[in-house]
Amino acid sequence: MFAVSEYRNRVIQVAAQYAAFIQSELQSFGLDSSTQNFVLLANTQEVPGANAYGVARAPRGDGTEGIVISAPWMGDDGKINAEGVAYVLALAKFVTKFSHWSKDFIFLVTHPSPVGTQAWLEAYHGRSPRPSAPLQYDALDTYSGAIQEALHLEFGGAGEYRAIEVLVDGLNGQLPNADLVTTVVNCAKYEGIPMALHQAVSPDKFDNKWTRYLHKADILSEYVKSQALGLPKSGHSLYARYHIESVTLRGMKELPGAEYVVSGEQIGRALESSLRSFNNLLERLHHAYWFYLMPTASSYIPMSVYIPPVILLAVTLIFEVR
């Protein structure tokens, strides 16, 4: 169903002409595709870049809503995000075969990221760069409707992943709606994929309560530290500025004690299930929380639980001792 291995080999071969290659492939699937050039002025140097994107029009939609599936051309390690881009292309080809979609799909490959993501998002929302701005970018040639959700894929290498890490931290500590995270994680776990948070996979059962407490406390400390820094950890981090719910899925090749290997078919089915779930939404996600703490990838502590103790501690500040 997903020709990921085929696309991965082709992606590696055309590294120099990545934008033209992606645009050509998306166009061959029948998508409205184009490229966007941009340049970042940093430390008296010009850093050029290019994005490639395509829009799959929904057969049963009116073009007012869209879902983004994106991937950086290069990962944080400086290597080509071969399988991440391959999944984007495979999904782009896959969605054109069915007529039940009610929302447009926007497929985006950026380089370098996350600057490319910022340039594309600003252009998509009709913003023109100021002449003195360090980031200069072209306007887009094709659009869809209001973007509802976004999935950012980072799968470097040639497969053999032990788990998938979900990254939720946005710029300045902004978080996506908890329902989005829960949906993506549940779709992956239904396919038997171990899900990690801050590079830690939580077991289904613990030896005792003390072990469970220490495990979750360790993840929670990393979660709070990341939230406090507020730095963008991946391309999805910038979507929150435009009220777009988004997460990054990153393949983990090394996991201590893990013997299970996640197949490409499992990942493909999990991504498809997530897209179907987003496609079935009749309105924006709004019932769940935007303020929460996550001790594991599949659970969260809502604000209604952790904020009362904070309020009680703050109340003591209004009393004056004489």
Side-chain angles (χ1 to χ4, degrees):
M1 180 169 60
F2 294 92
V4 175
S5 58
E6 174 189 351
Y7 285 125
R8 180 184 64 229
N9 295 332
R10 295 178 63 185
V11 164
I12 295 175
Q13 293 173 1
V14 295
Q17 305 87 17
Y18 64 93
F21 165 71
I22 298 298
Q23 190 268 339
S24 176
E25 287 296 312
L26 295 176
Q27 189 174 29
S28 68
F29 303 151
L31 277 63
D32 297 334
S33 61
S34 184
T35 59
Q36 178 200 29
N37 295 315
F38 62 90
V39 60
L40 177 65
L41 305 177
N43 298 327
T44 68
Q45 294 182 347
E46 294 186 357
V47 181
N51 300 325
Y53 60 97
V55 180
R57 307 294 177 182
R60 297 191 177 186
D62 54 5
T64 59
E65 296 178 335
I67 301 171
V68 171
I69 302 95
S70 65
W73 182 262
M74 290 285 225
D76 294 338
D77 56 0
K79 298 180 181 179
I80 296 178
N81 181 30
E83 286 215 350
V85 176
Y87 279 117
V88 170
L89 294 176
L91 285 168
K93 185 176 182 180
F94 174 80
V95 299
T96 59
K97 298 180 180 180
F98 301 93
S99 60
H100 57 261
W101 307 111
S102 61
K103 296 183 181 180
D104 293 349
F105 291 105
I106 306 170
F107 298 92
L108 171 67
V109 177
T110 62
H111 180 66
S113 186
V115 178
T117 304
Q118 180 180 348
W120 187 86
L121 282 171
E122 291 194 7
Y124 188 90
H125 290 88
R127 297 185 179 181
S128 299
R130 300 189 311 273
S132 59
L135 179 61
Q136 299 291 322
Y137 49 85
D138 296 337
L140 302 184
D141 296 327
T142 183
Y143 296 83
S144 178
I147 302 174
Q148 306 290 309
E149 297 88 21
L151 284 180
H152 194 69
L153 309 179
E154 296 184 3
F155 292 88
E160 297 187 356
Y161 304 107
R162 304 296 179 178
I164 293 180
E165 181 183 9
V166 57
L167 284 75
V168 301
D169 311 69
L171 185 65
N172 296 325
Q174 290 179 287
L175 293 171
N177 190 278
D179 280 345
L180 176 91
V181 182
T182 303
T183 299
V184 173
V185 170
N186 285 343
C187 287
K189 295 188 72 174
Y190 183 81
E191 298 298 335
I193 301 175
M195 295 299 293
L197 181 68
H198 291 286
Q199 299 185 343
V201 177
S202 301
D204 295 330
K205 294 183 179 180
F206 293 88
D207 296 335
N208 51 64
K209 293 182 178 180
W210 181 245
T211 303
R212 180 179 62 181
Y213 175 81
L214 291 178
H215 175 83
K216 293 185 176 182
D218 184 51
I219 297 177
L220 199 58
S221 64
E222 293 295 326
Y223 180 89
V224 173
K225 185 190 304 181
S226 177
Q227 285 283 289
L229 293 175
L231 300 175
K233 300 190 67 175
S234 185
H236 82 281
S237 303
L238 302 175
Y239 285 91
R241 299 173 59 190
Y242 301 91
H243 306 287
I244 301 170
E245 316 301 336
S246 61
V247 294
T248 289
L249 297 179
R250 179 180 293 169
M252 292 182 61
K253 295 181 180 179
E254 297 181 1
L255 188 65
E259 299 179 356
Y260 182 78
V261 177
V262 180
S263 68
E265 186 175 355
Q266 286 176 288
I267 298 174
R269 287 199 301 261
L271 294 175
E272 179 200 356
S273 297
S274 299
L275 295 183
R276 287 179 182 271
S277 300
F278 301 156
N279 179 74
N280 292 336
L281 290 174
L282 299 179
E283 54 189 3
R284 282 183 177 271
L285 294 169
H286 64 278
H287 284 291
Y289 295 90
W290 277 274
F291 301 96
Y292 51 85
L293 302 173
M294 294 186 68
T296 68
S298 56
S299 63
Y300 65 90
I301 304 171
M303 184 176 65
S304 59
V305 173
Y306 70 78
I307 206 65
V310 177
I311 294 176
L312 290 176
L313 290 173
V315 166
T316 61
L317 300 178
I318 66 175
F319 293 102
E320 182 179 356
V321 180
R322 294 184 178 179

